[in-house]
Every structure is written in C-alpha cells, then in structure tokens.
C-alpha cells in the first residue's frame, strides 16, 4: 500500500482528535504541526481554557446537533472506562429565566434550555424539574447526567494516544497553508493531504483567511471550591446581555470553573477584574454549596483568572474538503463554544473526507 502522507495543522482538541482517529486507519503517516501544543496557555489557543463539558447547543435537525450526538458515545466511554483521560460524569442542572429570552446567551443556549431537546434520549437521566422544586427567579429547568473534561489531562492524553499510533509532533508556524508542503515538514518530504485545524487563526492563515471566524471571548475564574458534584448553567444574567453564568468541576483535581462571558468580536486577552467579580458573585448565588452557604466572594479560593477565545464561525463549523494549489485540504475549524462536545463527530467527518481524497487518488 502506498503511504498516505498527512500534515494536520493545529494541536487543539480538533487537530488532536482528528489525528487520533485518522491514526487508527491503516497506511497513514501523520505529522501534527502547530504553533501551540498542550501545556501552552495562549490567547490564540482556545482548547486549554475550555471548561470543558458536554452541554449540547446544536439546534435540532442541524449538522451541529449531529456532530454533538456522535460525540456523546466516545466521551461517555472515556468517563466510564478510561480514568487516565481526565473525563468524569457530573449531573447538571440547566435553568431558564423567562426574562432572558432573546438575549445573546439565551439564543446561544436555545436548544440546551428547551424542555424537549433532541439530546434528551442521548444523555442519561434527562428530566424536566417540577415547578415546585424550582428556586426563586427560575421559570423552568431540566437536569441530566453529562461529563466534564479536565483539559490539562485530556489534551496530553490525546497526544499520548497519537504517539502510540506513530503520529509525529512538530512545532511550526505557517504563514500560508501551502508552507506545509515544504520538504522539512513531513519526514517523507512530500504531503498528500493537509488537515486544517487552526481554530480562530483560520481567519489569518494565508490561503484560507476565513473572515467569518471571529472570537467569542470567554472569561473564567478557576477556584478550589467544590460544587458537591454538580454542574450548573442558566439562561442569562442581570448584568449584561453577553455575560453568562455557569459552573463545572473538572475531573481529577482540575478545579472548578466559574464562567463566564460570550463577548463577540472581542480579542482582549487580559481578564477584566470587574467582570471577574460579577462572575464570582453570580456563581455563589447560583450555587451556595461552593462556599458552604457563606456569602461573599472572599470565600472563594482562587487558582487563577483566565480568558479564552471561542472560534465562532458564521454558518457553523467548517468540515469540508477543498483543493488549494496542488494539494487537497480537509478543513475542521470554527467550532465556537462546542469544540469538545462536537469533537468526535467533526473529526470523524474530517477522517471520512480524508479517506475520500485517497480513494479518488487510488482510482486514478
Ligand atoms: C472559556 C471557554 C469555555 C469553553 N467551554 C467549552 C465547553 O464546556 N465545551 C466545549 O465543547 N467547548 C468549550 N469551549 C470551546 C472550545 O474550547 C473550542 O471550541 C475548541 O478548543 C477549539 O479547538 P480547536 O482545536 O479548533 O482550536 P484551538 O484550540 O485554538 O487550536 C488551534 C491550533 O492551531 C494552531 N495554529 C493556528 N494557526 C496556526 C498557524 N498559522 N501555524 C501553526 N499552527 C497554527 C494553534 O497553535 C493550535 O495548536 C470553550 C472555550 C472557551 C474559551
């Protein structure tokens, strides 16, 4: 069999999951080449900053929902059978306040907030919480069992799975996508296929320059406080249309993430201290267990403040193939706030497209 030489640009959750799934197929020699690798923290690298949990937002009947549906099984399997991946089960509660209807956060969460979402038969233990059990100010709520991923463990775990399958990792910065075909990138000196997983920076990579990819700025506070094993999400806040309130505890001592914000087209990398105070106040109000019922943000034990940029693409995640110059490219970028919860679905589609490219070549 002729060796299939592939370069994956990007070592975020999209690039690593795609490389992992592709490396299970026979005949591939894969290089993952990226500016940032797991262990780095940088504003151009979204994956380390994510919570990350599985709270589907893809609207029923869309490709986004299909990708999320396809991702639940693999994540559940990791939580159940692979403790070394840093993924654990958590029960979650999703609260809706009627007054948030139409806000940026409520629009983003529209499927998640539905009492009858497509994923009710996918995740375990979905139920609509009876009215008499709702807290003050909450008009409706649902609960189900989900997962939370410790990204500091999970991203290196993906690297280790790729390494086991013979994938090569390299630090590279590309100004143009065709620079991946230079002889010093792939050990064979030749590249058949490039897989573009550059996230937000697909907006700047020469040959792609997809200006429909923009940041949705997410500010978080990581604390040592415990939620008592639950995750929370609410439809909006009283503070600003593009602020959010969610809480999740990462697996294996990864800390508790207090979020957040969803600030479109905002590239600011530094935490806003006023927003941080609002995030912490809202979190304690939503989950008093965090501080053992004590009021006041001084009862939170802060690990760090952080900001990440979700790579949002108008029209949704781009997973498609394209001929650029003399080389086939499969794109997998622009997952916005759903990069983990759609990772296996998107990566599988990208792998199928890669296989199509090589099948066509075999027929020539
Ligand atoms: C605060 C926050 C909370 C989130 N919570 C969740 C959540 O709970 N659940 C969920 O599913 N998702 C969540 N997300 C979204 C998720 O983090 C992203 O969708 C996902 O990380 C995007 O991954 P990616 O691999 O596409 O991009 P990235 O992680 O940004 O990786 C891009 C890669 O491409 C490389 N690269 C880019 N350009 C070049 C170049 N020119 N040359 C070489 N290398 C290049 C970078 O170095 C990097 O390795 C959250 C995001 C944020 C910010």
């Amino acid at each position: 069999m002729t060796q299939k030489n592939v370069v994956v640009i990007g070592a975020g959750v999209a690039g690593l999951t795609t490389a992992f799934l592709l490396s299970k197929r026979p005949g591939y020699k894969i290089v993952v080449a990226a500016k940032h690798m797991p262990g780095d923290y940088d504003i151009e690298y979204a994956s380390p900053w994510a919570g990350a949990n599985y709270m589907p937002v893809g609207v029923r009947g869309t490709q986004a929902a299909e990708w999320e549906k396809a991702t639940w099984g693999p994540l559940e399997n990791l939580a159940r059978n692979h403790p070394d991946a840093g993924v654990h089960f958590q029960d979650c509660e999703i609260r809706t306040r009627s007054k948030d209807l139409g806000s940026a956060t409520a629009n983003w969460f529209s499927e998640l907030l539905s009492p009858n979402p497509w994923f009710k038969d996918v995740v375990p233990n979905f139920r609509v919480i009876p009215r008499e059990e709702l807290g003050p100010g909450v008009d409706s709520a649902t609960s189900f069992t989900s997962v939370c991923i410790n990204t500091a463990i999970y991203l290196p775990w993906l690297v280790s799975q790729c390494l086991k399958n013979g994938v090569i990792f390299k630090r590279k910065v590309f100004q143009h996508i065709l620079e991946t075909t230079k002889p010093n990138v792939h050990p064979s000196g030749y590249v058949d296929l490039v897989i573009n997983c550059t996230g937000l920076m697909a907006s700047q990579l020469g040959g792609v320059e997809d200006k429909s990819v923009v940041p949705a700025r997410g500010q978080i506070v990581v604390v040592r406080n415990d939620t008592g094993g639950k995750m929370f999400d609410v439809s909006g806040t009283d503070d600003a249309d593009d602020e959010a309130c969610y809480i999740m505890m990462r697996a294996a001592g990864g800390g508790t993430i207090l979020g957040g914000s969803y600030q479109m087209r905002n590239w600011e990398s530094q935490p806003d201290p006023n927003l941080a105070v609002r995030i912490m106040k809202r979190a304690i109000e939503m989950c008093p267990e965090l501080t053992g019922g004590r009021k006041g943000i001084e009862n939170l034990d802060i690990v760090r403040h952080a900001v990440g940029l979700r790579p949002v693409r108008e029209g949704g995640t781009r997973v498609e193939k394209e001929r650029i110059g003399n080389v086939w490219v499969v794109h997998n970028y622009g997952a916005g706030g759903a990069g983990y919860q759609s990772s296996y679905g998107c990566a599988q589609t990208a792998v199928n497209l890669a296989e199509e490219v090589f099948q066509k070549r075999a027929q020539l």
Side-chain angles (χ1 to χ4, degrees):
M1 185 195 302
T2 324
Q3 180 171 281
K4 302 163 194 171
N5 301 319
V6 177
V7 172
V8 177
I9 320 177
V13 68
L16 295 175
T17 314
T18 308
F20 175 38
L21 296 189
L22 195 61
S23 69
K24 294 180 180 183
R25 306 274 178 117
Y28 284 93
K29 190 66 202 166
I30 304 165
V31 172
V32 173
K35 183 173 178 184
H36 304 98
M37 290 283 174
D40 298 347
Y41 285 89
D42 192 279
I43 199 64
E44 289 180 12
Y45 186 29
S47 294
W49 306 112
N53 64 14
Y54 182 90
M55 295 227 179
V57 289
V59 174
R60 184 191 286 270
T62 62
Q63 180 64 69
E66 285 305 315
W67 282 324
E68 288 177 333
K69 190 174 180 186
T71 302
W72 172 254
L75 291 182
E76 183 184 37
N77 175 44
L78 292 176
R80 201 174 293 289
N81 301 314
H82 299 273
D84 49 328
V87 183
H88 69 170
F89 290 112
Q90 292 273 278
D91 286 331
C92 62
E93 196 175 305
I94 313 294
R95 299 175 179 171
T96 300
R97 313 178 317 163
S98 305
K99 63 179 169 184
D100 296 325
L101 215 75
S103 71
T105 306
N107 289 342
W108 167 34
F109 283 167
S110 66
E111 189 72 34
L112 182 64
L113 299 170
S114 164
N116 184 30
W118 59 261
F119 58 84
K120 72 179 199 312
D121 302 320
V122 175
V123 293
N125 305 320
F126 182 90
R127 75 177 185 120
V128 175
I129 298 175
R131 192 158 268 285
E132 57 278 12
E133 289 178 29
L134 302 177
V138 179
D139 297 297
S140 63
T142 58
S143 67
F144 57 92
T145 302
S146 182
V147 293
C148 185
I149 301 166
N150 182 341
T151 61
I153 294 177
Y154 183 60
L155 295 171
W157 182 84
L158 283 172
V159 173
S160 72
Q161 303 311 299
C162 289
L163 288 170
K164 268 195 228 171
N165 293 348
V167 175
I168 296 168
F169 284 82
K170 282 188 175 179
R171 290 272 183 178
K172 291 275 176 199
V173 182
F174 303 107
Q175 303 306 323
H176 194 284
I177 194 159
L178 293 180
E179 288 173 15
T180 50
T181 62
K182 285 188 178 166
N184 64 345
V185 180
H186 198 280
S188 69
Y190 183 80
V191 179
D192 299 298
L193 173 72
V194 177
I195 304 188
N196 172 27
C197 302
T198 50
L200 181 58
M201 301 319 284
S203 60
Q204 293 176 20
L205 177 64
V208 180
E209 290 178 88
D210 185 342
K211 298 301 177 198
S212 66
V213 189
V214 295
R217 181 179 182 276
Q219 182 167 326
I220 56 170
V221 185
V222 186
V223 297
R224 294 185 180 83
N225 305 60
D226 204 308
T227 62
K230 257 187 149 183
M231 302 193 282
F232 299 89
D233 231 321
V234 64
S235 53
T237 75
D238 293 334
D239 297 317
D241 200 44
D242 57 3
E243 292 185 20
C245 182
Y246 61 86
I247 302 173
M248 65 185 90
M249 206 175 85
R250 282 175 166 176
T256 298
I257 308 289
L258 314 180
S261 66
Y262 196 80
Q263 297 163 312
M264 292 297 291
R265 295 182 178 76
N266 185 336
W267 289 81
E268 178 54 57
S269 64
Q270 295 309 303
D272 166 354
N274 294 317
L275 174 54
V277 168
R278 294 197 292 278
I279 288 172
M280 291 188 280
K281 280 187 175 167
R282 292 191 298 246
I284 294 177
E285 206 173 305
M286 183 157 74
C287 177
E289 295 89 334
L290 268 176
T291 54
R294 282 167 295 167
K295 288 191 174 18
I297 60 172
E298 64 278 10
N299 296 300
L300 290 170
D301 186 358
I302 298 170
V303 180
R304 64 176 166 272
H305 296 275
V307 174
L309 303 179
R310 302 173 183 91
V312 173
R313 182 168 177 270
E314 274 168 36
T317 314
R318 184 179 186 199
V319 189
E320 57 190 33
K321 64 179 197 291
E322 181 187 12
R323 185 92 180 160
I324 301 180
N326 282 333
V327 72
W328 275 106
V329 174
V330 170
H331 300 286
N332 178 7
Y333 66 83
Y340 284 84
Q341 64 199 30
S342 61
S343 54
Y344 284 88
C346 293
Q348 190 54 57
T349 304
V351 165
N352 295 345
L353 293 172
E355 294 271 82
E356 266 178 43
V357 168
F358 287 105
Q359 271 158 19
K360 279 218 175 98
R361 189 181 73 167
Q363 285 160 7
L364 289 179

